[in-house]
Amino acid sequence: MSPTRRLFSRGSFPEASRITEILRAETTGGLLLIVGALIAIVWSNTAFSEAYENLRDLRIGPEALHLNLTLGTWAADGLLAIFFFVAGLELKREFVAGDLRDPRRAALPVVAAVGGMAMPAVVYVLWNLGSSGDLAGWAIPTATDIAFAVAILAVISTHLPSGLRTFLLTLAVVDDLLAITIIAIFYTDHLRPSYLLLALVPIALFAVLVQRRIRSGWLLIPLAVLAWVLVHESGVHATVAGVLLGFTVPVLRSESAGGPEAGPGLAEHFEHLVRPISAGVAVPVFAFFAAGVDVGGLDGLRSALTDPIALGIVTGLVVGKTLGIAGSTWLLATFTRADLDEDLSWVDVIGMAMLAGIGFTVSLLIGELAFGSGTPQDEHAKVGVLVGSLVATLLATVVLRSRNRVYRRLHEEEMLDLDADGVPDVYQRDERREQPGL
């Protein structure tokens, strides 16, 4: 009989260390994201709101290449391609070299991500089935903003144990993959296959170079830009190019370079280079251009929140995400030989599910794709995303702060008793406990 599997148990020490490093970088980016969004919201609700709109709608770029785009579009199509390139690197690393290469460990975040996207979509659709609703925005509440979420964790000063931190990051990575798949399939109106086929040429050349461990920016960046331009012209959202390029980068070192034991591969090298640009520039600038919505005071806010679009988004993020993630985790534990880690409770799962209801960056992007930037429906969708994310933040703060004493104890236990190799004894005990006969 196989042993009972523990949900949210500690991963390997190298993986836990890598997750900690990534979340530290995302925390900084998330704080910048919040600042950018707040500036946009305040500016667009002052007497100088026209200046904000003029800046957002300023067009730059070559008209001959159909790239005379507004600054807001450049942020959504161009800068977010950098964000999704990092997401592609993360996803590939998780499933090639991370703890999630084990299907048993991969099952939880994958199932939770699917449930956490399906249930918000169902909630939104139920609100918008009537004649006054609009089903085009069904995917808006399905996304989770990892940078925003970990920034909130930093602000409320929680000390999540490594199992929950790993779950949060991998859930968000799988969520990003599903979100970009939804964008590519459901929000592509005018597909031009010839450009999409042409885009495969620079992507293939990029793949050949990185597989040969060539890191020269003079070669790789022009190919990446060309791939982005061609995908943009194809009608598929240009951010898809970022994910495809990220998937081509090798995770493990080649045998000629010493094999996997010789140190980090090219994916980790690129991640270290590009993540600061993504978290520190791309996402905050996008948030600045995307979050600016003229609420119109309390009357305007009240009016927006009576629209089924906004109501579907708010309840999708707050209720749908919680039910989808916590419910799918409960089903996985109920119908498989899996129990929660002995140090955790279902309150922790609910708290993490609430935190995943912060759906900012990708939700705003999908809202623009669904309704068109600047339309009344898009403005109401933005209000829904902002209010839903705020409510999810407040609820998650209450739940997670109530458990912070437990988290602090678990976090301190994980950091104690470093041996000579720098690996905590607690991880060694976990590994011995998993071995047969020990």
Side-chain angles (χ1 to χ4, degrees), residues 188-209:
T188 298
D189 294 329
H190 307 290
L191 181 64
R192 289 186 278 185
S194 58
Y195 281 100
L196 199 57
L197 290 173
L198 285 173
L200 296 179
V201 176
I203 292 173
L205 291 174
F206 186 96
V208 170
L209 292 176

Side-chain angles (χ1 to χ4, degrees), residues 112-365:
V114 172
M117 297 191 83
M119 188 58 68
V122 171
V123 170
Y124 178 92
V125 168
L126 291 176
W127 273 105
N128 286 269
L129 283 176
S131 58
S132 61
D134 194 325
L135 295 177
W138 65 270
I140 296 173
T142 62
T144 294
D145 193 317
I146 181 62
F148 206 137
V150 297
I152 295 302
L153 289 177
V155 170
I156 65 178
S157 187
T158 59
H159 298 73
L160 291 182
S162 62
L164 290 178
R165 288 188 311 231
T166 302
F167 170 74
L168 177 63
L169 178 64
T170 51
L171 169 72
V173 170
V174 177
D175 187 285
D176 286 340
L177 176 66
L178 296 176
I180 200 66
T181 303
I182 288 173
I183 290 171
I185 295 175
F186 296 100
Y187 293 98
T188 298
D189 294 329
H190 307 290
L191 181 64
R192 289 186 278 185
S194 58
Y195 281 100
L196 199 57
L197 290 173
L198 285 173
L200 296 179
V201 176
I203 292 173
L205 291 174
F206 186 96
V208 170
L209 292 176
V210 294
Q211 290 296 328
R212 293 176 176 272
R213 273 57 180 182
I214 295 174
R215 307 181 181 185
S216 172
W218 296 105
L219 294 173
L220 297 179
I221 293 177
L223 288 173
V225 171
L226 179 58
W228 179 88
V229 170
L230 291 171
V231 171
H232 181 272
E233 288 297 295
S234 74
V236 176
H237 197 263
T239 51
V240 173
V243 176
L244 295 177
L245 291 168
F247 283 163
T248 68
V249 180
V251 172
L252 303 177
R253 282 179 174 261
S254 63
E255 293 300 326
S256 60
E261 292 77 17
L266 197 56
E268 185 169 347
H269 171 74
F270 282 168
E271 199 173 324
H272 285 161
L273 288 177
V274 182
R275 183 180 294 280
I277 301 173
S278 170
V281 179
V283 174
V285 171
F286 168 77
F288 170 76
F289 284 114
V293 53
D294 185 358
V295 176
L298 291 177
D299 289 339
L301 181 62
R302 190 180 302 112
S303 174
L305 290 178
T306 59
D307 187 339
I309 292 174
L311 290 171
I313 293 170
V314 172
T315 52
L317 290 172
V318 177
V319 179
K321 277 287 185 182
T322 304
L323 290 178
I325 294 174
S328 58
T329 304
W330 179 82
L331 289 173
L332 187 67
T334 301
F335 293 102
T336 66
R337 294 183 56 83
D339 293 329
L340 284 180
D341 190 78
E342 58 189 9
D343 294 317
L344 301 175
S345 73
W346 284 103
V347 174
D348 305 310
V349 180
I350 293 173
M352 295 298 290
M354 289 177 172
L355 190 67
I358 301 174
F360 196 78
T361 303
V362 180
S363 291
L364 292 174
L365 172 63

Side-chain angles (χ1 to χ4, degrees), residues 16-42:
S17 300
R18 189 180 74 83
I19 295 296
T20 300
E21 180 183 351
I22 290 175
L23 292 182
R24 188 179 296 116
E26 292 288 358
T27 299
T28 303
L31 293 173
L32 291 174
L33 181 156
I34 294 173
V35 170
L38 286 176
I39 292 173
I41 294 169
V42 172

Side-chain angles (χ1 to χ4, degrees), residues 12-14 17 414 416-429 431:
S12 64
F13 179 63
S17 300
E414 291 176 359
L416 289 176
D417 302 325
L418 289 175
D419 66 6
D421 295 327
V423 179
D425 289 345
V426 67
Y427 283 93
Q428 294 182 337
R429 289 197 298 271
E431 291 176 1

